[in-house]
Amino acid sequence: MSAMTGWWTRRSAAGKVELYTRWTFHLMAPVELVTLGGLPLNSGGKPRDLGTGLTVGLLLWVLAHSALCWTVSSRALGHTTGRRARPVRLAVALAAATLLADLAVAGLWAGGALPDESLVASLLIVTSVFTAGTLVLCLDRVRHMAYAVAGTALAAALPVAAFGHGAPEGLITLVAVLAGGGAYASACGFSSWLLRVVQELERSRDLKARLAVAEERLRFGRDLHDVMGRNLSVIALKSELAVQLTRRGRPEGVDQMVEVQRIAQESQREVREVVRGYREADLRVELEGARGVLGAAGIDCAVDAPALELPAGVQSVLGWVVREATTNVLRHGDPGRCAIALRRTADGVLLTVENDGAVVRDGAGAPGRTGSGLAGLRERLGAVDGTLEAGPVAPQSFRVTARVPLAVPGTSGTRQEKETVA
């Protein structure tokens, strides 16, 4: 079942809206063909006698108009999503072709070649309605959209009045095109606006993720500057003073170098603390951070994690699991829900992170095919004798499970706490 629906579920929210909008307007061409295609051939179940040439001409016009509307709407939606330029020439060609066809149909009606008023009204009104909606897809401003609808209505009504059919018939045509074209054009304009807004939200989400990374880099750089700036300045000054004292043969130079050594060791300790704060994760902080980040991305995040007394090393490793799993939720698929649960078991602690809307690519979750992030988590968990399982658990669902035993001696410290900064 997932293989059949993967073409839909693998798309993002913006991709789903775009696909739905495109196919909605692509189906308008068959709708126009079904509506107008049979009119030149029969009326109320009875065959029309319009002549072979006129019948073929009307059928070709209906087919050409529906194909032109399909092409213009497709190009217009490409412009809305930023993939194509605005189809100005095609829109002008559609408007000009509709105007010429209105003049021709009104002239044939006046000349008696098209005596059936219902056929003439259908050709004029229906083609004008589809033209108005298609032109609106090419426009951005509401005022210009209103002009397009009004211009299409006048292009259908004026030939009727100009060829001697009278003002009432022209007024009826004008009102019919304004009503039908206005309604269809409103739907087209709203769909185009909605697609543009969803695309903008998708771009804003990506930009927010990039800004978060940039902000973290700035924070790390700022912390390093705060720690090292003053200490390096003191080291430079005391080293210069020690050089001057040594050249003069004064013993105080040794004391200054001892002080330089002390400041250097203190700087090393402070840098190690900064890097540890950057490289290690606090479980409670990461849980709250995951809730906030996923909530800001529009994902419903449920966190069920009671306060547990865990060794510092275990908390750090589980915090890294939460951080990496949250990153994967944001980067892969189109989730709407994520559940994070922390449980104390008989022999250890269990952490699960499960989300829906996951995209499982070929080989994902298979042994030897996992990403570097999960491989890094397995190395961190291995330092506390923990294990990690990750893979799909249901259609479009993905679960990360981390187990850490607490009965093993030495779990209060990890290899990470023994790392030093060169």
Side-chain angles (χ1 to χ4, degrees):
M1 184 65 181
S2 60
M4 297 176 60
T5 60
W7 63 272
W8 173 263
T9 56
R10 282 194 293 265
R11 296 179 179 270
S12 63
K16 291 177 181 177
V17 173
E18 180 182 355
L19 183 64
Y20 169 79
T21 305
R22 281 187 176 276
W23 279 104
T24 298
F25 288 107
H26 288 170
L27 290 175
M28 291 298 105
V31 169
E32 183 179 1
L33 287 175
V34 172
T35 304
L36 297 178
L39 292 179
L41 300 175
N42 63 80
S43 175
K46 298 179 180 180
R48 295 182 187 273
D49 187 14
L50 300 177
T52 303
L54 184 56
T55 300
V56 172
L58 292 177
L59 290 175
L60 289 177
W61 161 239
V62 172
L63 179 61
H65 184 267
S66 60
L68 189 56
C69 287
W70 185 92
T71 303
V72 174
S73 62
S74 178
R75 298 293 181 87
L77 291 176
H79 167 70
T80 301
T81 56
R83 298 190 182 97
R84 291 179 177 269
R86 192 190 306 273
V88 178
R89 295 182 179 179
L90 284 174
V92 172
L94 174 62
T98 304
L99 175 60
L100 292 176
D102 292 343
L103 291 172
V105 170
L108 291 173
W109 184 22
L114 289 176
D116 193 339
E117 295 183 358
S118 63
L119 174 60
V120 174
S122 298
L123 289 173
L124 290 175
I125 295 173
V126 174
T127 55
S128 297
V129 166
F130 279 100
T131 298
T134 305
L135 292 178
V136 164
L137 288 175
C138 303
L139 303 173
D140 297 329
R141 297 184 180 181
V142 177
R143 181 179 60 183
H144 295 166
M145 297 178 184
Y147 292 161
V149 175
T152 305
L154 288 175
L158 290 179
V160 174
F163 281 103
H165 300 294
E169 288 78 2
L171 182 60
I172 292 174
T173 304
L174 178 66
V175 173
V177 176
L178 284 177
Y184 182 56
S186 298
C188 293
F190 178 78
S191 298
S192 179
W193 170 81
L194 180 62
L195 179 58
R196 189 179 295 110
V197 169
V198 172
Q199 293 281 346
E200 186 64 28
L201 289 176
E202 187 78 6
R203 287 190 290 267
S204 299
R205 178 178 175 179
D206 294 339
L207 180 60
K208 185 176 181 179
R210 296 192 189 99
L211 289 176
V213 174
E215 184 179 357
E216 180 64 15
R217 290 174 177 172
L218 289 174
R219 183 199 68 80
F220 185 62
R222 183 176 60 250
D223 291 347
L224 279 179
H225 178 271
D226 294 341
V227 169
M228 297 301 298
R230 181 184 62 85
N231 290 351
L232 289 177
S233 299
V234 175
I235 289 175
L237 291 175
K238 286 188 172 294
S239 299
E240 183 180 358
L241 179 57
V243 170
Q244 297 296 332
L245 293 174
T246 303
R247 287 176 177 176
R248 297 174 185 176
R250 299 179 59 179
E252 290 87 347
V254 177
D255 297 334
Q256 294 297 327
M257 291 306 299
V258 171
E259 183 67 13
V260 168
Q261 183 182 20
R262 186 192 65 79
I263 296 174
Q265 293 174 347
E266 181 69 16
S267 300
Q268 184 182 27
R269 183 189 61 81
E270 292 179 354
V271 170
R272 189 182 300 115
E273 291 178 356
V274 172
V275 174
R276 181 180 294 116
Y278 183 75
R279 297 177 60 188
E280 294 186 0
D282 181 77
L283 180 58
R284 305 311 305 183
V285 173
E286 292 301 328
L287 288 172
E288 291 301 322
R291 191 202 307 269
V293 170
L294 294 177
I299 302 172
D300 183 19
C301 181
V303 178
D304 183 12
L308 301 177
E309 293 294 331
L310 300 176
V314 174
Q315 288 207 35
S316 176
V317 171
L318 294 180
W320 267 104
V321 174
V322 173
R323 179 184 293 187
E324 180 65 23
T326 303
T327 303
N328 290 337
V329 170
L330 291 173
R331 293 178 57 187
H332 304 298
D334 186 28
R337 178 189 60 83
C338 180
I340 304 176
L342 180 67
R343 290 287 183 271
R344 184 72 176 264
T345 61
D347 58 347
V349 62
L350 176 68
L351 174 68
T352 60
V353 181
E354 182 176 351
N355 65 279
D356 62 358
V359 177
V360 182
R361 297 178 175 84
D362 295 339
R369 296 292 299 273
T370 54
S372 59
L374 296 180
L377 290 181
R378 288 191 172 92
E379 293 178 1
R380 293 178 183 274
L381 286 166
V384 291
D385 295 332
T387 60
L388 180 73
E389 298 177 2
V393 293
Q396 290 81 50
S397 293
F398 195 88
R399 179 188 296 166
V400 175
T401 303
R403 293 182 175 87
V404 179
L406 298 181
V408 178
T411 56
S412 60
T414 68
R415 286 198 297 258
Q416 291 181 2
E417 295 177 334
K418 299 177 183 180
E419 290 179 352
T420 59
V421 179

Tab-separated table of all heavy atoms in Angstrom, residues 7 27 36 57 68 73 103 109 113 140 159 171 186 203 214 221 232 238 240 265 279 307-308 312 366 371 410 420:
chain	number	residue	atom	x	y	z
A	7	TRP	N	4.115	8.141	-3.966
A	7	TRP	CA	4.240	9.353	-4.787
A	7	TRP	C	3.588	10.548	-4.103
A	7	TRP	O	3.947	11.694	-4.374
A	7	TRP	CB	3.596	9.119	-6.147
A	7	TRP	CG	2.116	8.845	-6.059
A	7	TRP	CD1	1.521	7.627	-5.878
A	7	TRP	CD2	1.064	9.799	-6.126
A	7	TRP	NE1	0.159	7.767	-5.831
A	7	TRP	CE2	-0.157	9.100	-5.981
A	7	TRP	CE3	1.027	11.189	-6.292
A	7	TRP	CZ2	-1.379	9.723	-6.000
A	7	TRP	CZ3	-0.208	11.813	-6.313
A	7	TRP	CH2	-1.399	11.084	-6.172
A	27	LEU	N	-7.447	19.471	-14.986
A	27	LEU	CA	-8.734	18.830	-15.259
A	27	LEU	C	-9.761	19.796	-15.833
A	27	LEU	O	-10.819	19.346	-16.291
A	27	LEU	CB	-9.279	18.200	-13.974
A	27	LEU	CG	-8.521	16.971	-13.454
A	27	LEU	CD1	-9.091	16.523	-12.123
A	27	LEU	CD2	-8.585	15.834	-14.470
A	36	LEU	N	-18.561	21.701	-23.923
A	36	LEU	CA	-18.810	22.309	-25.236
A	36	LEU	C	-18.636	21.349	-26.405
A	36	LEU	O	-19.106	21.652	-27.511
A	36	LEU	CB	-17.874	23.501	-25.445
A	36	LEU	CG	-18.035	24.675	-24.490
A	36	LEU	CD1	-17.009	25.750	-24.794
A	36	LEU	CD2	-19.443	25.260	-24.574
A	57	GLY	N	-15.102	23.215	-37.718
A	57	GLY	CA	-14.460	24.443	-37.251
A	57	GLY	C	-14.758	24.732	-35.792
A	57	GLY	O	-13.862	25.102	-35.020
A	68	LEU	N	-5.121	25.535	-25.146
A	68	LEU	CA	-4.417	26.781	-24.840
A	68	LEU	C	-4.596	27.172	-23.380
A	68	LEU	O	-3.638	27.613	-22.724
A	68	LEU	CB	-4.923	27.889	-25.767
A	68	LEU	CG	-4.157	29.220	-25.749
A	68	LEU	CD1	-2.676	28.994	-26.045
A	68	LEU	CD2	-4.760	30.194	-26.746
A	73	SER	N	-2.361	27.889	-18.031
A	73	SER	CA	-2.491	27.652	-16.589
A	73	SER	C	-1.282	26.906	-16.041
A	73	SER	O	-0.796	27.206	-14.940
A	73	SER	CB	-3.774	26.871	-16.303
A	73	SER	OG	-3.737	25.596	-16.923
A	103	LEU	N	-15.940	37.418	-31.913
A	103	LEU	CA	-16.374	38.175	-33.094
A	103	LEU	C	-16.902	37.238	-34.178
A	103	LEU	O	-17.934	37.523	-34.827
A	103	LEU	CB	-15.206	39.002	-33.628
A	103	LEU	CG	-14.736	40.175	-32.760
A	103	LEU	CD1	-13.451	40.778	-33.319
A	103	LEU	CD2	-15.826	41.242	-32.663
A	109	TRP	N	-23.757	34.241	-36.038
A	109	TRP	CA	-25.126	34.323	-35.510
A	109	TRP	C	-25.919	35.387	-36.258
A	109	TRP	O	-27.082	35.161	-36.646
A	109	TRP	CB	-25.067	34.631	-34.017
A	109	TRP	CG	-26.413	34.642	-33.336
A	109	TRP	CD1	-27.550	34.024	-33.765
A	109	TRP	CD2	-26.748	35.294	-32.121
A	109	TRP	NE1	-28.587	34.232	-32.893
A	109	TRP	CE2	-28.112	35.008	-31.857
A	109	TRP	CE3	-26.032	36.068	-31.209
A	109	TRP	CZ2	-28.776	35.504	-30.737
A	109	TRP	CZ3	-26.690	36.544	-30.091
A	109	TRP	CH2	-28.039	36.274	-29.852
A	113	ALA	N	-25.842	31.691	-39.961
A	113	ALA	CA	-25.172	30.388	-40.015
A	113	ALA	C	-25.297	29.633	-38.701
A	113	ALA	O	-25.254	28.397	-38.675
A	113	ALA	CB	-23.700	30.584	-40.372
A	140	ASP	N	-0.904	38.940	-10.453
A	140	ASP	CA	-0.599	38.962	-9.027
A	140	ASP	C	-1.523	39.891	-8.236
A	140	ASP	O	-1.874	39.580	-7.098
A	140	ASP	CB	0.856	39.387	-8.798
A	140	ASP	CG	1.847	38.405	-9.411
A	140	ASP	OD1	1.515	37.200	-9.470
A	140	ASP	OD2	2.927	38.845	-9.841
A	159	PRO	N	-19.450	42.301	-29.131
A	159	PRO	CA	-19.788	41.788	-30.472
A	159	PRO	C	-21.257	41.426	-30.627
A	159	PRO	O	-21.824	41.598	-31.707
A	159	PRO	CB	-18.893	40.552	-30.615
A	159	PRO	CG	-17.750	40.801	-29.707
A	159	PRO	CD	-18.338	41.522	-28.543
A	171	LEU	N	-26.328	42.737	-22.847
A	171	LEU	CA	-26.308	42.889	-21.390
A	171	LEU	C	-26.386	41.536	-20.691
A	171	LEU	O	-25.705	41.300	-19.684
A	171	LEU	CB	-27.464	43.789	-20.951
A	171	LEU	CG	-27.550	44.092	-19.450
A	171	LEU	CD1	-26.289	44.796	-18.975
A	171	LEU	CD2	-28.793	44.923	-19.138
A	186	SER	N	-12.197	34.016	-9.152
A	186	SER	CA	-11.928	34.108	-7.708
A	186	SER	C	-11.304	32.820	-7.198
A	186	SER	O	-10.356	32.849	-6.401
A	186	SER	CB	-13.232	34.403	-6.955
A	186	SER	OG	-13.775	35.639	-7.359
A	203	ARG	N	9.812	27.930	2.322
A	203	ARG	CA	11.115	28.603	2.265
A	203	ARG	C	11.474	29.218	3.617
A	203	ARG	O	12.645	29.212	4.018
A	203	ARG	CB	11.099	29.667	1.174
A	203	ARG	CG	11.133	29.097	-0.244
A	203	ARG	CD	11.361	30.179	-1.269
A	203	ARG	NE	10.209	31.049	-1.398
A	203	ARG	CZ	9.243	30.866	-2.288
A	203	ARG	NH1	9.279	29.845	-3.118
A	203	ARG	NH2	8.224	31.713	-2.352
A	214	ALA	N	23.324	29.078	12.067
A	214	ALA	CA	24.203	30.252	12.102
A	214	ALA	C	24.250	30.869	13.495
A	214	ALA	O	25.311	31.302	13.967
A	214	ALA	CB	23.724	31.283	11.085
A	221	GLY	N	31.322	30.877	18.711
A	221	GLY	CA	32.423	31.809	18.481
A	221	GLY	C	32.491	32.889	19.546
A	221	GLY	O	33.580	33.283	19.982
A	232	LEU	N	44.513	35.456	26.415
A	232	LEU	CA	45.611	35.557	25.456
A	232	LEU	C	46.298	36.910	25.542
A	232	LEU	O	47.527	37.012	25.368
A	232	LEU	CB	45.086	35.314	24.035
A	232	LEU	CG	44.677	33.870	23.707
A	232	LEU	CD1	44.102	33.789	22.307
A	232	LEU	CD2	45.862	32.923	23.852
A	238	LYS	N	52.473	39.256	29.728
A	238	LYS	CA	53.379	38.667	30.708
A	238	LYS	C	54.573	38.005	30.031
A	238	LYS	O	55.686	38.005	30.576
A	238	LYS	CB	52.612	37.657	31.576
A	238	LYS	CG	51.675	38.327	32.580
A	238	LYS	CD	51.079	37.328	33.540
A	238	LYS	CE	50.310	38.033	34.649
A	238	LYS	NZ	51.208	38.832	35.527
A	240	GLU	N	55.978	39.052	27.243
A	240	GLU	CA	56.858	40.168	26.887
A	240	GLU	C	57.612	40.686	28.100
A	240	GLU	O	58.818	40.990	28.031
A	240	GLU	CB	56.023	41.273	26.251
A	240	GLU	CG	56.871	42.457	25.765
A	240	GLU	CD	56.023	43.532	25.131
A	240	GLU	OE1	54.788	43.338	25.032
A	240	GLU	OE2	56.596	44.569	24.741
A	265	GLN	N	47.143	27.062	31.401
A	265	GLN	CA	46.418	25.893	31.885
A	265	GLN	C	44.964	26.252	32.214
A	265	GLN	O	44.036	25.477	31.927
A	265	GLN	CB	47.118	25.304	33.106
A	265	GLN	CG	48.477	24.696	32.792
A	265	GLN	CD	49.218	24.258	34.042
A	265	GLN	OE1	48.836	24.615	35.174
A	265	GLN	NE2	50.302	23.489	33.856
A	279	ARG	N	29.639	20.110	22.804
A	279	ARG	CA	29.645	18.755	22.297
A	279	ARG	C	28.794	17.813	23.115
A	279	ARG	O	28.393	16.761	22.640
A	279	ARG	CB	31.084	18.224	22.232
A	279	ARG	CG	31.971	18.993	21.274
A	279	ARG	CD	33.383	18.481	21.317
A	279	ARG	NE	33.435	17.070	20.945
A	279	ARG	CZ	34.516	16.334	21.053
A	279	ARG	NH1	35.619	16.855	21.548
A	279	ARG	NH2	34.508	15.077	20.691
A	307	ALA	N	11.009	12.941	35.563
A	307	ALA	CA	12.340	13.236	36.109
A	307	ALA	C	12.943	11.963	36.703
A	307	ALA	O	12.365	11.346	37.604
A	307	ALA	CB	12.239	14.322	37.169
A	308	LEU	N	14.090	11.568	36.170
A	308	LEU	CA	14.777	10.371	36.634
A	308	LEU	C	16.179	10.735	37.090
A	308	LEU	O	16.832	11.584	36.489
A	308	LEU	CB	14.864	9.320	35.510
A	308	LEU	CG	13.535	8.814	34.913
A	308	LEU	CD1	13.811	7.838	33.781
A	308	LEU	CD2	12.688	8.155	35.993
A	312	ALA	N	25.434	11.300	35.012
A	312	ALA	CA	25.693	12.417	34.093
A	312	ALA	C	26.029	11.923	32.701
A	312	ALA	O	25.581	12.490	31.689
A	312	ALA	CB	26.820	13.292	34.639
A	366	ALA	N	18.388	-0.298	6.824
A	366	ALA	CA	19.012	-1.597	6.636
A	366	ALA	C	20.398	-1.594	7.237
A	366	ALA	O	21.042	-0.577	7.349
A	366	ALA	CB	19.070	-1.943	5.144
A	371	GLY	N	22.754	6.384	8.302
A	371	GLY	CA	23.517	7.611	8.122
A	371	GLY	C	24.591	7.780	9.172
A	371	GLY	O	24.702	7.037	10.153
A	410	GLY	N	30.552	2.078	36.421
A	410	GLY	CA	31.278	3.044	35.604
A	410	GLY	C	30.421	3.799	34.620
A	410	GLY	O	30.958	4.504	33.779
A	420	THR	N	40.254	15.549	26.092
A	420	THR	CA	40.938	16.810	26.329
A	420	THR	C	41.053	17.566	25.038
A	420	THR	O	40.988	16.992	23.959
A	420	THR	CB	42.347	16.568	26.912
A	420	THR	OG1	43.091	15.771	25.992
A	420	THR	CG2	42.268	15.868	28.263
